[in-house]
Amino acid sequence: MAHWGEQVKKFLSDSPREANTEGGVFPAIFGTVLMVVLMSVVVMPFGVIAAVYLHEYAGKNLLTRLIRIAVVNLAGVPSIVYGVFGLGFFVYLIGGSIDRLFYAESLPNPTFGTPGVLWAALTLALLTLPVVIVSTEEGLSRIPATLRQGSLALGASRAETLWRIVLPMAAPAMMTGLILAIARAAGETAPLMLVGVVKSAPVLPVDDIFPYLHLERKFMHLSFQIYDMAFQSPSVEAARPLVFATAFLLVAIVVGLNLTAMGIRHSLRERYRVWEQ
């Protein structure tokens, strides 16, 4: 039992060796969690703002219907298309512009004009944005109109009603959207191959050198490591145990993140359940 525990510890804390056929997966764990956190920080505000605008402020007209159709259709676009868009728009256009404006002395060696964890997070935020919008809008539609009317009748402004009544009650639906976004983003591989993930990263995106979080750096990801070990390894048979162990670990991380979000959602739902009665 002690030997098994020691092997698990090494697997979780060591870096990969011998073309990812030996060693651990700590850099991939770190990269996966960091990218998911960055993606969540980006996608939630934009998704909620878009859903609030569509449901609370946009009129029921042809333009609004077209926007909703576009949002639903975006959810069905293949992920590799998002990867190509992220490479062209985020990496080459935005990243290249940042390099020309702020890192001209480093050119022609790019700083932000090359794939990195920031562009990967933004690409996956764009990929999962429709999920958050649809989930949040469904939550907003379930809030009784009488609550809005009662708040307005008591003298609250429309903005105060939205901030203090509507959004708190829609929070469980927002968390549902976040859960779905995390589950999809953590398992994506194809778009990441274009916008930042690598087979082996010499350094982590976080270290003790200012500014401590280096968003321009490339990173490792569990899903890509599974693909690399299973199909690109020089010794597939030797890497097979690591493939299964890494796949199980990825599922465990996704389940853990989802359980955390589900716990928060349940807490919010219980807090505002009395308002719905």
Side-chain angles (χ1 to χ4, degrees), residues 20-239:
N20 289 346
T21 59
E22 296 180 8
V25 292
F26 176 74
I29 297 173
F30 189 90
T32 301
V33 174
L34 176 63
M35 189 212 62
V36 168
V37 170
L38 291 175
M39 179 217 69
S40 302
V41 169
V42 174
V43 75
M44 282 303 293
F46 284 99
V48 171
I49 290 172
V52 168
Y53 171 76
L54 288 174
H55 191 271
E56 300 291 328
Y57 292 97
K60 295 182 179 180
N61 50 45
L62 178 61
L63 178 60
T64 304
R65 289 197 296 271
L66 290 176
I67 292 175
R68 285 196 172 95
I69 292 173
V71 169
V72 173
N73 288 337
L74 282 174
V77 174
S79 60
I80 189 65
V81 176
Y82 284 97
V84 174
F85 175 82
L87 180 65
F89 182 74
F90 292 130
V91 177
Y92 292 151
L93 181 60
I94 297 181
S97 299
I98 292 174
D99 283 349
R100 288 190 294 272
L101 289 174
F102 301 104
Y103 299 94
E105 69 280 359
S106 300
L107 294 175
N109 296 321
T111 302
F112 279 93
T114 185
V117 65
L118 173 62
W119 309 132
L122 291 178
T123 300
L124 289 189
L126 190 63
L127 172 69
T128 56
L129 183 62
V131 176
V132 177
I133 293 176
V134 172
S135 297
T136 303
E137 195 170 3
E138 288 180 355
L140 292 171
S141 65
R142 290 198 297 266
I143 298 174
T146 53
L147 287 176
R148 295 181 176 87
Q149 296 166 0
S151 176
L152 295 173
L154 291 172
S157 65
R158 190 174 184 182
E160 289 173 333
T161 300
L162 177 66
W163 183 254
R164 297 181 180 274
I165 303 295
V166 176
L167 288 182
M169 293 191 65
M174 299 177 196
M175 295 305 300
T176 299
L178 179 61
I179 291 169
L180 296 174
I182 288 174
R184 183 170 185 187
E188 283 292 345
T189 304
L192 298 180
M193 295 170 67
L194 299 175
V195 291
V197 76
V198 290
K199 178 185 179 74
S200 178
V203 291
L204 295 175
V206 176
D207 57 23
D208 57 353
I209 301 174
F210 185 83
Y212 310 117
L213 176 60
H214 303 274
L215 298 176
E216 76 281 3
R217 289 181 181 174
K218 295 178 175 60
F219 68 105
M220 298 178 68
H221 193 276
L222 286 172
S223 64
F224 179 78
Q225 188 152 343
I226 293 170
Y227 162 78
D228 180 72
M229 290 187 297
F231 300 104
Q232 304 295 322
S233 174
S235 178
V236 175
E237 291 297 326

Side-chain angles (χ1 to χ4, degrees), residues 256-270:
L257 291 172
N258 285 347
L259 288 176
T260 302
M262 289 170 64
I264 297 173
R265 181 184 64 180
H266 178 74
S267 175
L268 293 171
R269 183 173 292 166
E270 290 299 319

